[in-house]
């Protein structure tokens, strides 16, 4: 009897529409196990729920409920289904759904949403504006045990295998796809879980050496990239129209000058990531998954916080303080940046090359002072920062104001351009990335990834390596 009492305390019972409506008044997160009367609630996850309840210790904002679909009108789409369904209600709004007793996925989702709710309650985070997901289940068979999110953006996932990572093929892949206009949302080197490898490569599971392949993939660092199409899905290509009957003309008119045809600019829809990989011969060492549902599932497993961050539109951007600000008022500017809610990810003092200075100051290239400005920028220290914030790119651009002090006084008198107006040039002393894609390229340029090379001497045996490692 005692154990049954504990189960009732763990999960409240909702078996009518009125009780369902009352449940939606709960503050914080409510995890709902939707069940059929003939089969009962899912017992496989009750131990997980009890563990979460005890470890998180958040009775005010974490609730567990069992809801009988047969007697609740809202849950009509789930009647006569044998597979468990778990709904996540955040302050009365259903924001996510997981089908199947996927304990690791449920665990990550609960922890992620509770961490977010804690920050909201503490005033450290603005509440994300989730859109309530539909409960109509017309696509169950197609989607399987996938978590549905309230806002959906299409991503591809690419894996570069361990041997190719050692050859730095991941660097080549990223450079080429970003140059093409794709956006790398996440890039991380990791040892892949076995279940992810088996599911990602299920199409080659029947090959005789598949088990050996799985072993190699789970015992070395692969590079995982989550990739989106970027802001512009069209590209402009140059095509040169060839002259007609070229060979015949060459034979008949050897003395006549050859006519050169000017390139024609043609706008075309960008290839899919897989098509681009094939065209650039990158497919030999970079495997792509473009199925939206599968990629969503892999993201939930490998990057559980990614969708929450995207729903909040958290972005990185590059900020640059011109030399006059860097020298005299850098600390004051840094205080403003932090007070505006930016997280400073990286920062460094730098003297720009002439090429970098021209890129940063491109909007002034038609001004008579441009050459002097480039000389000033390329001979004195500037300060560059990688910043992170919700809607970071646009927020920083708005914060710094327009390109000249005169414009800023007229339209943005509270901008940093006005607050820190100084120097010998009538310009904004701050720079910001123009777009999310530009920000990623610029951050990688000014803050290239640091790599460490480790060598193990030939005479050190496997046993000695283990022994030395255990002493650290």
């Amino acid at each position: 009897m005692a154990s049954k009492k504990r189960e009732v305390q763990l999960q409240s019972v909702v078996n009518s529409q009125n009780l369902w409506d009352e449940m939606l008044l709960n503050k914080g997160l409510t995890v709902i196990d939707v069940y059929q009367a003939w089969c009962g609630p899912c017992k496989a996850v009750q131990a997980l729920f009890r563990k979460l309840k005890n470890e998180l210790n958040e009775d005010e904002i974490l609730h567990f409920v069992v809801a009988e679909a047969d007697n609740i009108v809202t849950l009509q789409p789930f009647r006569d289904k044998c597979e468990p369904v778990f709904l996540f209600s955040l302050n009365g709004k259903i924001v996510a759904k997981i089908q199947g007793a996927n304990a690791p996925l449920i665990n990550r989702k609960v922890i992620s949403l509770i961490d977010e709710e804690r920050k909201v309650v503490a005033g450290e985070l603005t509440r994300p504006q989730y859109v309530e997901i539909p409960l109509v289940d017309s696509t169950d068979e197609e989607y399987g045990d996938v978590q549905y999110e309230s806002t959906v953006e299409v991503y591809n996932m690419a894996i570069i295998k361990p041997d190719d990572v050692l050859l730095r093929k991941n660097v080549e892949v990223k450079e080429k796809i970003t140059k093409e206009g794709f956006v790398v949302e996440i890039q991380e080197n990791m040892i892949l879980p076995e279940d992810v490898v088996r599911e990602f490569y299920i199409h080659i599971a029947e090959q005789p050496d598949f088990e050996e392949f799985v072993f190699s993939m789970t015992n070395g660092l692969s590079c995982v990239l989550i990739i989106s199409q970027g802001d512009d899905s069209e590209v402009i290509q140059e095509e040169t129209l060839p002259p007609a009957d070229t060979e015949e003309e060459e034979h008949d008119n050897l003395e006549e000058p050859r006519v050169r045809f000017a390139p024609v600019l043609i706008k075309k829809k960008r290839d899919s990531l897989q098509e681009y990989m094939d065209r650039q011969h990158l497919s030999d060492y970079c495997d792509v998954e473009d199925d939206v549902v599968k990629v969503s599932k892999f993201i939930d497993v490998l990057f559980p916080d990614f969708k929450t961050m995207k729903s909040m539109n958290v972005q990185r951007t590059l900020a640059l303080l011109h030399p006059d600000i860097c020298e005299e008022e850098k600390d004051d500017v840094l205080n403003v940046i932090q007070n505006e809610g930016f997280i400073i990810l990286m920062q460094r003092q730098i003297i720009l090359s002439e090429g970098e200075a021209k890129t940063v100051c491109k909007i002034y290239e038609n001004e008579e002072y441009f050459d002097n400005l480039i000389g000033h920028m390329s001979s004195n220290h500037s300060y560059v920062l990688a910043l992170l914030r919700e809607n970071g790119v646009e927020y920083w651009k708005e914060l710094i104001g327009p390109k000249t002090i005169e414009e800023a006084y007229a339209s943005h008198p509270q901008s940093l351009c006005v607050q820190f107006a100084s120097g010998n040039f009538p310009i904004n002393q701050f720079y910001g990335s123009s777009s999310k894609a530009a920000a990623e390229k610029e951050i990688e340029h000014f803050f290239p990834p640091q790599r460490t090379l480790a060598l193990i001497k030939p005479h050190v045996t496997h046993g000695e390596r283990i022994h030395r490692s255990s002493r650290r």
Side-chain angles (χ1 to χ4, degrees):
M1 292 293 290
S3 63
K4 235 177 181 180
K5 184 177 179 182
R6 282 197 296 271
E7 285 186 13
V8 171
Q9 291 175 341
L10 174 66
Q11 294 172 285
S12 302
V13 177
V14 174
N15 54 15
S16 70
Q17 186 65 42
N18 286 339
L19 289 175
W20 174 268
D21 294 338
E22 288 180 17
M23 177 214 67
L24 293 178
L25 300 176
N26 286 347
K27 292 182 179 180
L29 174 65
T30 303
V31 184
I32 308 160
D33 175 2
V34 179
Y35 72 96
Q36 321 298 314
W38 59 270
C39 64
C42 180
K43 294 183 178 180
V45 296
Q46 288 180 353
L48 170 64
F49 290 164
R50 187 173 292 108
K51 173 176 173 286
L52 287 167
K53 182 179 179 69
N54 292 335
E55 290 184 358
L56 294 175
N57 193 27
E58 290 286 1
D59 291 343
E60 293 297 318
I61 59 172
L62 177 60
H63 318 275
F64 295 97
V65 163
V66 290
E68 186 180 334
D70 306 72
N71 295 322
I72 300 171
V73 176
T74 303
L75 299 181
Q76 184 176 353
F78 303 113
R79 294 175 187 173
D80 302 322
K81 307 285 185 182
C82 60
E83 186 178 35
V85 175
F86 299 91
L87 303 177
F88 297 80
S89 171
L90 202 57
N91 297 301
K93 185 180 290 185
I94 306 297
V95 299
K97 175 174 68 172
I98 294 176
Q99 292 185 219
N102 190 331
L105 183 54
I106 294 170
N107 182 66
R108 281 190 294 273
K109 190 62 185 172
V110 171
I111 291 174
S112 174
L113 288 174
I114 285 296
D115 284 346
E116 177 185 290
E117 191 65 15
R118 283 170 171 165
K119 292 177 182 177
V120 170
V121 171
E124 300 172 0
L125 179 70
T126 303
R127 184 178 299 283
Q129 297 301 307
Y130 285 104
V131 178
E132 189 161 20
I133 66 170
L135 297 184
V136 178
D137 243 19
S138 58
T139 55
D140 280 351
E141 291 184 4
E142 178 184 352
Y143 283 82
D145 57 341
V146 168
Q147 172 186 345
Y148 293 76
E149 294 292 339
S150 53
T151 54
V152 178
E153 191 171 348
V154 176
Y155 301 106
N156 289 176
M157 175 171 159
I159 294 179
I160 298 152
K161 295 182 278 290
D163 289 346
D164 295 314
V165 171
L166 293 175
L167 297 173
R168 292 173 55 82
K169 295 295 186 182
N170 51 323
V171 177
E172 178 186 348
V173 169
K174 184 176 181 181
E175 286 178 353
K176 287 187 174 181
I177 63 177
T178 52
K179 186 176 181 180
E180 181 67 8
F182 293 97
V183 175
V184 177
E185 305 281 352
I186 304 177
Q187 177 182 358
E188 188 168 323
N189 290 355
M190 63 172 67
I191 295 178
L192 291 169
E194 182 177 335
D195 57 339
V196 169
V197 174
R198 290 186 180 278
E199 189 163 354
F200 191 93
Y201 291 99
I202 193 170
H203 58 286
I204 61 170
E206 300 301 319
Q207 294 186 5
D209 59 350
F210 183 66
E211 292 304 319
E212 183 180 339
F213 172 77
V214 171
F215 179 82
S216 68
M217 291 293 293
T218 54
N219 284 273
L221 286 174
S222 298
C223 180
V224 180
L225 300 99
I226 303 299
I227 302 160
S228 64
Q229 279 282 336
D231 298 330
D232 188 0
S233 60
E234 294 184 326
V235 293
I236 295 176
Q237 295 181 346
E238 285 189 1
E239 289 196 1
T240 302
L241 300 178
D245 304 324
T246 304
E247 292 184 7
E248 189 176 327
E249 287 182 10
E250 284 181 358
H251 288 290
D252 296 342
N253 304 297
L254 293 177
E255 302 300 323
E256 294 183 13
R258 185 176 300 176
V259 177
R260 293 186 179 273
F261 287 77
V264 179
L265 297 182
I266 300 176
K267 183 175 279 192
K268 294 184 176 182
K269 187 174 179 62
R270 182 192 297 135
D271 290 343
S272 70
L273 181 62
Q274 184 63 69
E275 290 169 337
Y276 178 74
M277 292 285 189
D278 293 340
R279 185 158 53 85
Q280 294 293 319
H281 307 293
L282 302 176
S283 299
D284 291 341
Y285 44 83
C286 185
D287 302 309
V288 174
E289 176 59 72
D290 56 10
D291 183 280
V292 174
V293 176
K294 289 183 179 179
V295 173
S296 178
K297 183 174 181 179
F298 290 133
I299 289 174
D300 288 332
V301 173
L302 300 176
F303 309 104
D305 296 329
F306 174 71
K307 290 178 182 177
T308 300
M309 297 286 281
K310 291 298 291 184
S311 70
M312 296 163 55
N313 200 24
V314 175
Q315 301 171 344
R316 298 198 307 171
T317 191
L318 184 96
L320 183 140
L321 283 56
H322 285 221
D324 294 329
I325 298 294
C326 176
E327 182 179 346
E328 299 174 7
E329 301 182 275
K330 180 187 71 178
D331 292 340
D332 291 336
V333 173
L334 294 181
N335 286 335
V336 172
I337 287 173
Q338 292 176 318
N339 290 338
E340 290 291 336
F342 284 99
I343 296 173
I344 300 175
L345 300 175
M346 295 172 282
Q347 54 188 313
R348 60 184 290 223
Q349 189 167 273
I350 184 175
I351 295 180
L352 300 178
S353 67
E354 183 177 333
E356 291 169 337
K358 287 182 176 179
T359 299
V360 169
C361 299
K362 184 174 177 60
I363 56 175
Y364 308 110
E365 63 184 353
N366 294 324
E367 304 294 341
E368 59 182 17
Y369 53 75
F370 181 69
D371 290 340
N372 290 335
L373 175 61
I374 297 306
H376 179 66
M377 294 288 289
S378 58
S379 58
N380 295 281
H381 284 101
S382 296
Y383 203 75
V384 289
L385 306 98
L387 304 178
L388 182 73
R389 192 193 186 282
E390 184 177 353
N391 200 28
V393 173
E394 291 302 321
Y395 195 98
W396 175 250
K397 285 160 60 178
E398 182 69 19
L399 183 63
I400 64 178
K403 67 177 187 177
T404 67
I405 296 173
E406 182 179 0
E407 292 177 57
Y409 269 111
S411 61
H412 292 70
Q414 302 301 318
S415 64
L416 296 186
C417 179
V418 172
Q419 292 182 48
F420 296 95
S422 62
N424 298 318
F425 302 96
I427 64 171
N428 194 325
Q429 297 290 324
F430 300 88
Y431 170 83
S433 301
S434 60
S435 67
K436 186 174 69 172
E440 292 303 320
K441 290 180 182 178
E442 291 169 353
I443 289 172
E444 184 159 341
H445 173 80
F446 286 107
F447 301 97
Q450 300 297 312
R451 294 178 175 85
T452 301
L453 176 66
L455 296 176
I456 299 175
K457 297 178 182 178
H459 68 274
V460 178
T461 66
H462 177 70
E464 287 175 315
R465 290 200 295 271
I466 294 176
H467 176 66
R468 293 179 184 181
S469 298
S470 65
R471 288 187 299 172
R472 293 189 181 129

